Structure formats: C-alpha cells, structure tokens
Amino acid sequence: MHCRATAILLSACLFCACAAPVLAADKAPGKQAASTQAPSKQAQELRQTGDLIPYAPPSEVLNAYFTADENAPTAVYGPVSAYAKTRACKTAWLIEKGEQTRVERLKGLKDIPPFEFSVTLEEDCPGTVSHAVFVTSPGSTPEAWFAWRRQFHGGKAAGYYGEAQEHLKKAVQSGLAPTAELRFLSVNGELVCKNLEEILKAEGRLAPVFDLTKGEALKGGPVTSGRAGK
C-alpha cells in the first residue's frame, strides 16, 4: 500500500465509526492452520475488494523488528514472524497487486536506498477476517525513517517525529533496530481506529523487545503463560 493508499486509510480513520477490535482475543493462539488451506468466502471477498494477492515476504521482512505507533512509538516488538505466530486462526501473507509491481520495479534499480512498502497479514477466523498491514523498509535507519516522513510534513516533521527518532537510535545501539511498522488493522473490512500499541498490550500475546521510553532492551517475544499462551 503506497502513499496514496495510506492517505486514503488515514482519511477513513477520521470518519469511520471505529470498529470494535473483535480480534479473537478470547482465543489462545495455538498452532496455526496450514497455509495451504483455502481462505474462507469472506476472506476471498476482502482480497478481491482490496486487490490483494498471496505473497511470500522475504526473510528481511519476516525477521524485522517493528513499532506499532506511527507518531510516537514507545516500544519495539518482533520480529514480524513472531507476531504472525501469535495469531489465533489461520494466516496468510498478502500484498496489493500494484504494490508488488512497484516493489519489483524498485528492486531492479541499482544503488537504490531503502524504500517503504506494505504487506498484509490476513487472519481468517470463522466470521471474522482481520488484516494487519505492515509497512516495512529493510535496511532502513532512524535517519531514513525521519527523512521519509519529512517528505509529507516538511518543517513540521521535527515536531512530530524528532523525539521518536532519538528513541529509535537507542534501539539501534542495542541491535534491535525496527525496520517495519504495524501501521493499520482492519476487521471485516473496517479500519480499527484504536492505538495499535494499546491493542498489542491488551492482547497480551507478544511482549516488546525494547522500551523506547527508557532506552532498555527487554526479554520480549510471544507470551506463553496464562490465557494468551500457545
């Protein structure tokens, strides 16, 4: 999902009646169903609506650490593959057709700096299909992260993101640099307008690996004790 699609989603967030995050939170995420299992009719319809197709993310994406707040992240989670493993139902990776074309074109260019692109993790539960959209930039740095946002916010970027950039540098120094972001979450095609960091905390399935407010590395990873265990 490129910049134009991002703007559309952000606009939708302003007007939508925030969808209640019915994310199968009551279920303990067990062993995921085989990825070869056919998607439900509802999942197929949402794929068609979003022009989404199956995708095999490269290891750089699956192994990436990520944040879950675009403006002021307070923690680093990951890797992305760990988030996928904590889902309660069968999952599949998807990408927009146009986005895949753009990625392939950029990958064919020489000496190109890290660029952002989006992939979608579909969770297909009975009656509920969730899409978690990750924006990823393999090989990125806090400086590149800030420069990308400066394209859209100009001189205001420092006020919006300056503190977050400094926090991210601390994670880099600990070897936990996030090169992805959980940017959007939708349930049955409706955008969830709640803070995604708060949703991760409420789920209790994936602990952060780095506290950006304290500048401290944490144990992190999938939670295996209690109701949220595997």
Side-chain angles (χ1 to χ4, degrees):
M1 189 175 297
H2 43 69
C3 303
R4 183 162 61 90
T6 299
I8 293 173
L9 278 171
L10 287 173
S11 298
C13 189
L14 294 174
F15 296 99
C16 72
C18 296
V22 185
L23 307 177
D26 294 331
K27 300 180 182 179
K31 187 176 182 180
Q32 296 179 38
S35 59
T36 55
Q37 187 174 347
S40 66
K41 180 180 179 181
Q42 184 179 19
Q44 293 180 44
E45 291 174 349
L46 287 172
R47 290 185 187 189
Q48 184 175 7
T49 300
D51 205 23
L52 295 164
I53 58 176
Y55 180 66
S59 59
E60 293 85 355
V61 172
L62 295 176
N63 295 333
Y65 294 104
F66 66 93
T67 55
D69 188 315
E70 184 180 9
N71 296 331
T74 63
V76 177
Y77 294 85
V80 169
S81 59
Y83 174 87
K85 290 178 181 178
T86 63
R87 300 304 88 198
C89 305
K90 64 182 178 182
T91 60
W93 284 104
L94 310 171
I95 192 171
E96 287 185 351
K97 290 181 182 178
E99 186 78 328
Q100 184 181 46
T101 300
R102 184 179 73 91
V103 170
E104 293 303 318
R105 177 179 61 81
L106 291 174
K107 285 170 60 178
L109 301 178
K110 293 183 179 180
D111 302 322
I112 186 172
F115 59 90
E116 289 192 350
F117 64 97
S118 62
V119 295
T120 298
L121 180 67
E122 172 191 83
E123 182 181 4
D124 191 359
C125 297
T128 303
V129 178
S130 303
H131 284 171
V133 179
F134 286 87
V135 177
T136 180
S137 181
S140 186
T141 63
E143 289 75 19
W145 180 91
F146 183 73
W148 177 262
R149 283 148 181 80
R150 190 162 51 227
Q151 295 182 50
F152 308 105
H153 299 286
K156 295 181 180 180
Y160 287 153
Y161 304 119
E163 185 176 359
Q165 182 188 15
E166 293 305 312
H167 291 168
L168 291 172
K169 288 181 180 179
K170 296 178 182 179
V172 173
Q173 294 168 359
S174 297
L176 297 169
T179 56
E181 177 188 320
L182 178 57
R183 181 75 58 86
F184 302 110
L185 186 65
S186 67
V187 178
N188 293 339
E190 294 193 47
L191 193 66
V192 174
C193 298
K194 296 182 67 175
N195 181 282
L196 299 189
E197 273 197 359
E198 294 303 319
I199 289 178
L200 287 177
K201 292 176 183 178
E203 282 186 344
R205 300 179 186 176
L206 186 67
V209 297
F210 193 88
D211 186 325
L212 287 169
T213 60
K214 298 180 180 180
E216 297 176 353
L218 306 170
K219 185 177 181 180
V223 176
T224 57
S225 61
R227 181 173 57 83
K230 291 178 89 174

